[in-house]
Amino acid sequence: QSGMNNGWYKKDLPVVRPQEAAYEAAKTYFAGAMTRGKNMMPLEDVVKAAEAGDSLILDIRSKEDYDKGHLKGAVNIPFIEVVNYLDQLPRDKRIIVCCYSGQTAGQIVGSLSLGGFNAFTLSGGAGSFTADTKLETTANEFVPATNKELTANEKLLLEAIRYSMTMPEDKNMLQVEDVAAAPEKYFILDVRTVELFAKGHIDGATLIPYLEMGANLDKLPKDKTIAVICNSGQQSSQTVAVLKAAGFTVKNIQSGMNNGWYKKDLPVVR
């Protein structure tokens, strides 16, 4: 009687919200990624999957760049539009996401994997293509999937990742120069290994390796923007997607330490 709005909520009875469901799922997400190659696939394996036709190859680059050349069978849904297709993506088929460098694909894959999809990033994105990579220029039509009815928890996670995949103007990215200019504005989270952190890291950064993130969510602030960095921006992009779905304010430090911070010759602690 009276439903949720006029009954349950008014009585202040307990409910499970999308961000809470995502927070619980995040606890096992990162450790689970260990058995899946951190949800990344090298070009060689992706090309084999494209030839086999057993996966959805999702190219999230601009239509212009997709038209210039894409992997066999790939369909094009630009990065900021993928969220509009969540209800049409297959849950019974592997999804391999290709972007330019692996960073925006990482955000998509982090969200999709948290939401129960079998999703992987093409490691290095289209930047990993070589002169020998077979590409096609004919566009492939996206065919919406027919999925089974979702469970209550799957529906909650779907709403959580719908939020994480709705992109702000900055696409959840920070430039290394902006972080270096005002590091005090951020909780700088380094998700690399202990060994790489010891070789050089941003002053004041907190180390929580990617695979250990799920067990350390309680160490992250809810009242400050978390700026995440890894080697290249790919693992940190997945981290950003998962943490955003779980209710944190979080941004990816673009290009990571190797391709961003070190290349700009910014200061590090060793």
Side-chain angles (χ1 to χ4, degrees):
Q1 188 175 357
S2 301
M4 292 296 291
N5 289 344
N6 298 320
W8 200 270
Y9 289 142
K10 283 193 174 181
K11 295 291 186 180
D12 197 27
L13 294 171
V15 295
V16 178
R17 304 183 190 279
Q19 289 184 348
E20 294 168 351
Y23 187 95
E24 289 303 310
K27 291 179 179 179
T28 57
Y29 173 92
F30 297 95
M34 180 64 177
T35 63
R36 295 163 50 87
K38 298 179 181 178
N39 298 324
M40 294 188 288
M41 293 176 64
L43 177 64
E44 179 183 0
D45 291 346
V46 175
V47 169
K48 289 179 181 178
E51 290 293 333
D54 60 0
S55 303
L56 171 64
I57 310 296
L58 180 59
D59 193 317
I60 62 172
R61 295 176 298 159
S62 70
K63 183 180 183 302
E64 179 182 12
D65 289 326
Y66 168 83
D67 288 342
K68 290 177 182 177
H70 50 266
L71 294 172
K72 182 179 179 180
V75 301
N76 180 229
I77 303 176
F79 175 57
I80 63 172
E81 297 177 22
V82 178
V83 65
N84 300 323
Y85 290 80
L86 273 178
D87 299 309
Q88 303 174 49
L89 294 175
R91 286 180 171 267
D92 60 352
K93 193 175 187 178
R94 182 172 57 186
I95 302 172
I96 304 173
V97 186
C98 171
C99 66
Y100 293 96
S101 66
Q103 294 184 82
T104 51
Q107 289 196 54
I108 297 298
V109 166
S111 293
L112 292 180
S113 297
L114 187 73
F117 294 88
N118 183 20
F120 293 83
T121 299
L122 165 58
S123 185
S128 67
F129 292 170
T130 69
D132 297 325
T133 305
K134 294 181 180 179
L135 301 176
E136 59 182 24
T137 55
T138 302
N140 299 294
E141 180 183 0
F142 172 72
V143 179
T146 301
N147 295 309
K148 297 179 181 179
E149 178 70 19
L150 300 181
T151 65
N153 193 60
E154 286 172 338
K155 289 178 180 178
L156 286 170
L157 289 174
L158 187 66
E159 290 311 306
I161 69 171
R162 203 183 300 278
Y163 167 71
S164 69
M165 293 172 69
T166 301
M167 293 296 156
E169 187 175 347
D170 64 7
K171 298 180 181 178
N172 297 320
M173 297 280 193
L174 290 170
Q175 301 301 315
V176 290
E177 298 93 337
D178 294 334
V179 177
E184 70 282 353
K185 290 174 56 178
Y186 308 101
F187 178 90
I188 301 173
L189 175 62
D190 194 319
V191 299
R192 297 175 300 152
T193 63
V194 172
E195 293 77 14
L196 288 174
F197 185 81
K199 289 180 179 178
H201 58 268
I202 301 171
D203 189 20
T206 296
L207 173 67
I208 303 178
Y210 174 84
L211 295 174
E212 300 174 19
M213 188 64 57
N216 291 282
L217 296 176
D218 58 345
K219 296 179 181 177
L220 303 177
K222 286 290 188 80
D223 59 352
K224 195 170 188 178
T225 298
I226 302 170
V228 190
I229 195 161
C230 66
N231 284 323
S232 65
Q234 296 185 80
Q235 289 179 42
S236 56
S237 291
Q238 284 190 49
T239 304
V240 164
V242 174
L243 294 183
K244 182 178 177 183
F248 294 93
T249 301
V250 58
K251 303 287 184 182
N252 184 46
I253 300 179
Q254 191 165 7
S255 301
M257 291 295 291
N258 289 348
N259 300 321
W261 201 270
Y262 287 141
K263 280 194 174 181
K264 295 290 185 179
D265 199 27
L266 293 169
V268 295
V269 175
R270 290 186 169 89

